[in-house]
Amino acid sequence: MNIRIEIDGKPALSGKTALISGGYGGIGLSVCRGFAENGANCVVADLPQSPSEELGVLMAEYPGSVRYVPTNICDGEARKALLEQCKKGFGSIDILFNNAAVFDMGPLLESDEAQYEKLFRVNVNGMFFLMRAVADEMVNAGNGGKIINMASQAGRRGEALVSHYCASKAAVISYTQSAALALAPHGINVNAISPGVVDTPMWDHVDSLFAQYEHRQPGEKKRLVGEEVPLGRMGVPGDICGAALFLASGMSDYVTAQTYNVDGGNVMS
Ligand SMILES: NC(=O)c1ccc[n+]([C@@H]2O[C@H](COP(=O)([O-])OP(=O)(O)OC[C@H]3O[C@@H](n4cnc5c(N)ncnc54)[C@H](O)[C@@H]3O)[C@@H](O)[C@H]2O)c1
């Protein structure tokens, strides 16, 4: 689905620059396409040295205005270099789609500090310090901004086998609320999106881990979680784009500190 929104006769994100972490594939790539189609310059940051084939196609469709910067968001120097690239390329950062994350799971009583550290290093530390660095730029530029953090239905309640990931996503929701209050005087809106189950490379990994821990056939967990969604199917990355566009654009100027469930009806809050 392509969404094209005009505000005052112009594409909704015309003249804006968006930084998208974790946009090599999955939800981040789909949202990058949505932002580019609505007039934004986009800088995608992810771990691999080169963009994925699909991202390469998008970059060719929007030459010069969609760029890729290999970045580990957990590395302070790399974050600094990323922001410099954004400013050098486009002058400012108006939108942060703070999306990069990792997933892992396992029995709570078998978990160790390495597993905890692996999840919290990216999903909390990387997420928070990228948000902080971008917020700093936005405050100094004085033009306001939009920050969208990627939470999860996993952040709404615990799961026996998924404790660290759930806790890391609960932290995303909490930091979103605190940052929204801290940054409101600067005209910066901070919100989060909480997907349910979305068919991405991450869910292929989730499925293989459930197969291991719940002794299931490959693909079985994915099928079951899709069937349990009230709207009757797993999400696809494009399902997140509408909410992301709303939160990135002037349509959400009076919305902050919220976490939007975009999950086919899984969570009611
Ligand atoms: N897929 C789902 O069902 C689902 C559900 C709820 C929430 N989410 C959240 O949505 C977001 C996107 O997930 P997705 O399903 O598209 O996953 P994905 O694995 O396809 O994308 C995540 C991206 O983050 C990147 N990344 C990981 N560590 C990084 C680091 N240190 N620095 C830079 N990039 C890094 C990965 O390389 C990957 O490209 C994540 O925050 C995820 O937790 C996904």
Side-chain angles (χ1 to χ4, degrees), residues 21-29 45-48 68-75 97-103 121-123 126 130 149-155 165 168-169 172 193-206 234-235 237 240 262:
S21 71
Y24 183 87
I27 293 168
L29 174 61
D46 207 316
L47 291 172
Y68 182 71
V69 181
T71 312
N72 179 351
I73 61 150
C74 303
D75 175 340
F97 190 67
N98 205 3
N99 168 72
V102 292
F103 180 89
R121 202 171 61 88
V122 183
N123 299 6
L130 183 60
N149 296 319
M150 283 304 277
S152 169
Q153 69 178 14
Y165 181 78
S168 75
K169 290 299 181 177
V172 174
I193 295 175
S194 175
V197 287
V198 185
D199 197 357
T200 66
M202 182 178 277
W203 238 99
D204 292 334
H205 178 51
V206 175
M234 260 191 127
I240 307 302
V262 183

Side-chain angles (χ1 to χ4, degrees), residues 31-138:
V31 166
C32 180
R33 173 169 284 285
F35 284 180
E37 285 173 348
N38 282 275
N41 296 313
C42 296
V43 177
V44 174
D46 207 316
L47 291 172
Q49 277 313 302
S50 318
S52 59
E53 203 182 320
E54 238 182 314
L55 179 56
V57 169
L58 185 62
M59 290 166 69
E61 277 177 54
Y62 294 91
S65 61
V66 177
R67 300 182 188 182
Y68 182 71
V69 181
T71 312
N72 179 351
I73 61 150
C74 303
D75 175 340
E77 287 305 312
R79 285 193 299 265
K80 210 187 275 179
L82 169 65
L83 266 52
E84 283 307 316
Q85 291 271 341
C86 293
K87 283 195 290 180
K88 207 169 121 199
F90 300 116
S92 64
I93 305 170
D94 306 291
I95 300 158
L96 170 64
F97 190 67
N98 205 3
N99 168 72
V102 292
F103 180 89
D104 201 3
M105 60 184 279
L108 186 131
L109 294 178
E110 292 171 21
S111 76
D112 55 20
E113 289 187 26
Q115 285 171 333
Y116 166 91
E117 174 64 19
K118 177 180 160 186
L119 270 291
F120 271 70
R121 202 171 61 88
V122 183
N123 299 6
V124 184
N125 185 308
M127 179 282 310
F128 175 78
F129 285 103
L130 183 60
M131 174 170 72
R132 189 202 172 291
V134 171
D136 208 36
E137 294 292 338
M138 288 175 170

